[in-house]
Amino acid sequence: MMQNDLFTAIAPEMEELAPGVFLFQKYIDEELFFNQAMKVAETAPFRHMITPGGKKINVAGTSMGDAGWYSDRRGYRYENNDPLSGNAWPIIPKNISKIISNAADKAGFKDFIADSCFINRYEPGVRLTAHIDQDEQNFTQPIVSVSLGVSAIFQIFGETRGGKALNISLNSGDLLIFGGPARRHYHGVKKLDNFDHPLTGKYRYNFTFRHAL
Ligand code: MD3
Ligand code: FE
């Protein structure tokens, strides 16, 4: 009986790691997402934005959707058009929206529809310092993240930057949902290792699907 249980045991599709934090390991079609990121970059290239304080953001970013997250001397905000080109951001493909809404539903967030997807690109040595996502209108809406390529350690702190972090290894194809109390928590990503990934080379990509407007 015990032996049979061992053989038939399957990993759960989703795990709640902390209140409001849901991890779906190897949930995503990596190639589909990677091809999509490359298509977006053709019209809205990855770029290094500037913080309002004048510092270069080491993670390169771009967007798709009705609005894209943007930062320069004038502040953090959502822009309807890509300031680089003046054109609308590429649309979020329907098949991808469905996958994201479906996962949100499984975590208890009914009717989540992303109107914005920010894409981060990390190269070796680059990290994301602890911050809160607070440029969106409605904090009852979760954020759904998809990771691709080289693995990274994601850290979630809590209501303050200090203290002990919950460390989560994010691997290619993982989907992570942040809602409830976790939505307002400080989080960051540790320095990316200099590794090679068959799909993305030295890079790690992260897609954050948001209800921004
Ligand atoms: C926790 N990106 O773009 S994704 C970001 O891996 C960002 O590129 C990270 O933080 C990355 O703002 C982390 C997971 C994530 C996204 C949004 C969150 C975690 C979050 C919002 C609130 C709390
Ligand atoms: Fe964030």
Side-chain angles (χ1 to χ4, degrees), residues 1-212:
M1 191 57 192
M2 285 296 279
Q3 196 179 35
N4 191 48
D5 281 350
L6 272 175
F7 283 111
T8 56
I10 51 156
E13 181 181 43
M14 169 188 94
E15 218 184 329
E16 189 170 9
L17 302 177
V21 182
F22 302 86
L23 176 61
F24 300 62
Q25 283 179 310
K26 287 263 163 241
Y27 188 74
I28 288 299
D29 181 333
E30 299 166 55
E31 247 159 278
L32 181 132
F33 264 73
F34 183 63
N35 293 339
Q36 214 54 59
M38 292 301 110
K39 228 185 283 169
V40 168
E42 284 172 20
T43 46
F46 285 96
R47 78 289 305 262
H48 293 280
M49 289 180 258
I50 304 293
T51 66
K55 286 192 188 140
K56 177 187 148 194
I57 298 176
N58 288 324
V59 184
T62 187
S63 281
M64 52 187 178
D66 297 335
W69 186 83
Y70 214 77
S71 175
D72 59 19
R73 283 283 187 181
R74 290 170 39 225
Y76 300 126
R77 62 198 181 272
Y78 279 89
E79 287 278 1
N80 295 119
N81 296 313
D82 180 355
L84 262 189
S85 65
N87 299 326
W89 301 99
I91 61 156
I92 303 174
K94 281 264 149 34
N95 58 338
I96 287 185
S97 300
K98 275 192 196 137
I99 293 163
I100 299 306
S101 293
N102 219 280
D105 195 79
K106 286 175 184 173
F109 301 99
K110 298 247 171 293
D111 306 313
F112 174 72
I113 298 169
D115 55 20
S116 178
C117 174
F118 189 64
I119 313 175
N120 282 317
R121 189 187 69 191
Y122 297 77
E123 55 186 50
V126 166
R127 69 192 194 106
L128 184 65
T129 55
H131 66 278
I132 302 177
D133 292 23
Q134 50 190 349
D135 304 315
E136 300 76 23
Q137 297 297 323
N138 182 349
F139 296 104
T140 67
Q141 295 280 350
I143 291 181
V144 180
S145 119
V146 170
S147 293
L148 214 66
V150 177
S151 297
I153 307 282
F154 168 78
Q155 302 192 293
I156 179 148
F157 295 91
E159 283 172 24
T160 61
R161 242 179 251 273
K164 227 180 98 210
L166 170 65
N167 288 359
I168 304 173
S169 174
L170 289 181
N171 305 308
S172 194
D174 289 354
L175 181 149
L176 194 61
I177 300 186
F178 279 84
R183 177 66 183 77
R184 319 261 343 212
H185 286 173
Y186 276 94
H187 58 277
V189 179
K190 284 197 185 183
K191 220 162 68 158
L192 195 71
D193 285 321
N194 187 2
F195 289 159
D196 276 298
H197 187 277
L199 191 62
T200 65
K202 299 277 183 202
Y203 291 124
R204 167 178 188 258
Y205 294 88
N206 180 267
F207 296 71
T208 45
F209 294 88
R210 299 137 186 261
H211 186 92

